[in-house]
Amino acid sequence: MRPLSDLRVIEFDGLGPVTFAGMMLADLGAQVLRLTRSASAGTAVFDEVGGAVLHRGRAAVPVDLKSPADRDRVLDLLARADALIEGFRPGVMERLGLGPDVVAGHNPRLVYGRVTGWGQSGPMADQVGHDLNYLALSGALHAMGEPDRPPRPPLNLIADYAAGAQGLVIGLTAGVIEARRTGRGRVVDAAMTDGAALLTGLFQALRARGLWSDARGANLLDGGAPFYRCYACADGRFVAVGALEPRFYAALLAGLDIPADQAPQYDLAGWPALHARLESAFATRPRDAWADHFAGTEACVTPVLTLAEAPAHPHNRGRNTFDDRGFPQTAPRFAGDDGRAPPDVMPLSLEAALEAWSV
């Protein structure tokens, strides 16, 4: 039994953050029904990318939302649910006859979770976009990458998943807690631009104090500091160095046989020379030799693993972080829980879904 085992959620199938949010809720124990496009509704406009992981733990229920009969049965399901999540552009659910006002008429305590790139309001609310666009508008993208190159996309981890999906899950669970107290649900407006901007809070605070520059690769946490960045090794692979605290920095210097008086940590004028010195040092051995060399020390030096390598790392094996297919298990963990992902669930018809939620 996981913490959300008494939570019933309807997920309107989509891409990106809503799918990830549905996975997280199911991982946390929620009873999630994923409404997919039925054959009568026509072919979906997207493929089930990543479905082996992102669709785990919940049943797919084919529906035709343009069919009045199916829409009525979906409203019956929503009357028995605690929450719904959807990631359509603003106005789509309203045009389908499933907007917040209609749903609230059937279930006033339901929490209505909406995740979009630009949000439900604002001048750009109706515009299209993707993770990279939302990240760009938040200010976060500009800070990522090399100083003499365009910003680098950080996969779609930040706006789609950290800002959008996890923001939606947090907002949804907060809304459910309130609804169980008051009997009234709320609409959760999880905008990826808002969430990505929130994630920049530390750097905006530092910038306001003159402690962060808009120049990429010139700051403490963006690769500007020689003791907080990645280095190439003799075999073309990489190590990550995160020796921020003075004690950890001292361990790094000791491991590289660099006298501390030759490399004061916060001598910014000396950073370029120290960069070059560390680059030369790490280029003398293969990645795994450096990992072994610094193992058990406080230097904060770790190998940069590929996606293929990560499941085999002893720490990840010890925590059961990945399953035997190399797929990530659940996070966060709870005491007494081994983190195993929920099993696959067979598809259900709308009638079977209603029967399953008849109580």
Side-chain angles (χ1 to χ4, degrees):
M1 297 291 287
R2 288 184 173 163
L4 300 185
S5 60
D6 65 341
L7 183 71
R8 290 178 171 179
V9 181
I10 297 294
E11 170 191 347
F12 288 83
D13 196 29
L15 285 175
V18 72
T19 308
F20 196 89
M23 180 201 73
M24 286 195 69
L25 290 165
D27 285 356
L28 290 168
Q31 304 168 53
V32 183
L33 295 176
R34 184 170 63 89
L35 305 189
T36 63
R37 185 181 294 228
S38 67
S40 64
T43 305
V45 296
F46 52 84
D47 295 324
E48 293 193 352
V49 178
V53 175
L54 298 180
H55 292 160
R56 69 191 182 198
R58 60 237 200 247
V61 181
V63 299
D64 180 354
L65 293 177
K66 294 183 179 179
S67 159
D70 276 12
R71 188 165 56 249
D72 287 345
R73 283 179 287 185
V74 168
L75 284 169
D76 287 342
L77 270 177
L78 290 169
R80 307 171 193 189
D82 297 290
L84 76 77
I85 55 174
E86 60 96 358
F88 299 121
R89 291 171 66 184
V92 170
M93 290 290 281
E94 285 81 355
R95 290 193 293 274
L96 289 169
L98 293 167
D101 292 342
V102 172
V103 173
H106 288 72
N107 184 354
R109 64 182 177 79
L110 183 133
V111 178
Y112 200 111
R114 320 190 83 167
V115 58
T116 57
W118 310 113
Q120 297 296 316
S121 62
M124 297 179 68
D126 292 326
Q127 293 190 23
V128 297
H130 280 293
D131 177 283
L132 193 64
N133 306 116
Y134 315 136
L135 194 61
L137 211 68
S138 74
L141 182 61
H142 185 273
M144 299 173 183
E146 299 297 321
D148 56 347
R149 304 293 297 274
R152 298 283 292 181
L155 307 182
N156 70 326
L157 295 175
I158 298 179
D160 265 1
Y161 293 158
Q166 296 195 47
L168 177 61
V169 169
I170 292 168
L172 196 81
T173 51
V176 168
I177 291 170
E178 180 190 48
R180 289 182 173 178
R181 185 180 71 249
T182 66
R184 303 295 301 182
R186 288 199 195 218
V187 176
V188 179
D189 179 4
M192 289 179 250
T193 46
D194 295 348
L198 179 63
L199 292 170
T200 69
L202 167 64
F203 311 105
Q204 290 286 22
L206 291 172
R207 188 186 62 83
R209 296 177 56 196
L211 300 176
W212 190 271
S213 165
D214 277 338
R216 276 189 303 284
N219 299 284
L220 183 63
L221 300 176
D222 64 357
F227 47 85
Y228 197 85
R229 55 165 293 180
C230 296
Y231 289 96
C233 301
D235 56 357
R237 295 188 287 182
F238 304 91
V239 291
V241 176
L244 284 173
E245 289 80 0
R247 190 177 79 193
F248 302 161
Y249 180 65
L252 172 68
L253 295 183
L256 296 174
D257 294 324
I258 298 175
D261 61 356
Q262 293 183 14
Q265 186 170 9
Y266 287 99
D267 174 18
L268 273 62
W271 277 6
L274 185 56
H275 269 291
R277 189 166 185 177
L278 296 186
E279 283 176 346
S280 296
F282 281 112
T284 61
R285 300 185 192 182
R287 181 197 69 183
D288 292 346
W290 283 119
D292 291 341
H293 177 73
F294 282 105
T297 75
E298 293 186 327
C300 300
V301 176
T302 50
V304 177
L305 303 178
T306 66
L307 290 173
E309 291 174 318
H313 190 274
H315 182 76
N316 292 332
R317 282 188 178 275
R319 283 189 56 80
N320 195 35
T321 301
F322 297 88
D323 67 16
D324 56 8
R325 299 168 295 178
F327 294 162
Q329 305 265 43
T330 68
R333 305 281 178 84
F334 298 87
D337 184 351
D338 64 4
R340 292 186 185 276
D344 293 334
V345 181
M346 294 296 293
L348 294 174
S349 66
L350 258 176
E351 292 77 11
L354 282 162
E355 176 65 24
W357 281 11
S358 60
V359 178

